[in-house]
Amino acid sequence: MPFADDLPVPVGAWAYPAAELLLARAEQLALMTEEPSRITRRAFTPTMREVQEQVAAWMHAAGMSVRRDNIGNLIGVYPASTPNAPTLLIGSHLDTVRDAGKYDGPLGVLAGLACVEQLTASGQHLPFNLEVIAFVDEEGLRFHTAYLGSEAVSGDFKPDYLHLTDDEGITLADAIRAFGGNPDRIAQDRRDPATLLGYCELHIEQGPVLEQASIPVGVVTAIAGQTRMAISFRGKAGHAGTVPMQLRRDALCGAAEFILAVEAYTRESPDMVATVGRINAYPDVSNVIPAEVTISLDVRHKDNSHRQRVCKMLLERAQHICITRHLTLDWRIVHENPATPCDPALSGILGAAVQQAGYPLLHLPSGAGHDAVAMARITPICLLFVRCAGGISHHPDEAVQVGDVAAALDVLHHFVHLLANQLSLGTEQ
Ligand code: HGY
Ligand code: MN
Ligand code: MN
């Protein structure tokens, strides 16, 4: 889809071909999917392995040393000009949602790779190691969590996670083992904050703000907090033809009433979003009254206490529905993270890079979650958004323009050089 007002800003001569190459690579990765007619790439699968092998080959060719950590994140290292230098991480994730777009995740990994390729081409090394990190699980499609890869790196991976099972009953521990990782050593994946300069993520915006402002890139201020829950309503199965309506304990009707209550409440609540994206009914048979229904609930807001208040209010609503319908309720939080501000100093350098590259500086918040949320617990983070066609994401129509990707690569290039200058000045003092 063409954008109306492309800004006539020249980008570095290398950036357009680099952006074209990046988009061709994104097309190539999109072919590596578990489902032939759509992009679906769960963590720890042979398909993830295939994608990692391709990205690892590009990393090798760019002059990086490549390794996998114990959970299975892929990491390419472009060494610093001096020994014992700190490390800047650039990355994002390679897993997807079901029936995904091509850019949510891969764009950030491929941008890091392009940044290193540009350095290699000009024979430059920086006063810091540049590591491109491709997280193995961010979306949580397989184990219904979020950030498993980046939480291993931030040291927030909880050993209990290893007992989580996927829809086939495979435990996370077994999935990691089958992928070639080592679930017993995930604690060792934690990076020492003292060795890190920061984490920079480039990501498709997944919203309409940049498009409406006719600007190719934007600097993120903060990432909204989120709570993900698994909620089960339990009633009693019965014959669809014989149990009178007044005597039923229909779990699906209880869940349906709750889902509509969530929608009605959040429509009235500014900036609040809540989504029921999964629904599982048992026994899932057309002539049996549903006995048990489990739904997901994803609640997000920029204000932590407001999000928590709303979650509590929704719990009370679910309890009330269950009392009136003679159901029982199981309410479980599967993931929670607070709103995460980006680091002002690192974001300041990113903003300076945007301006140095010749673009207007626009700041915006992120409603979507990113690996940067986990990384912020151990190192300063910054996030650069790239304009997204129609604001569409988590959908196969997700699209970016080559000129915008070139702009983003140009900004990233300026960013690493500004950081290098700052570090050199700091060490000279
Ligand atoms: O769910 C999210 O916000 C992200 O796309 N993982
Ligand atoms: Mn996503
Ligand atoms: Mn993403």
Side-chain angles (χ1 to χ4, degrees), residues 92-93 104-105 138-139 201 203 206 369-370:
S92 197
H93 57 98
D104 174 1
E138 189 266 359
E139 300 286 8
E201 184 164 350
H203 206 283
Q206 309 182 278
H370 302 286

Side-chain angles (χ1 to χ4, degrees), residues 7 45 64 71 74 157 164 188 228 325 366 402 405 427:
L7 294 169
T45 55
M64 307 175 91
I71 197 165
L74 181 74
F157 184 94
L164 293 169
Q188 294 173 16
R228 294 193 195 183
R325 291 178 169 274
S366 174
V402 65
V405 174
T427 42

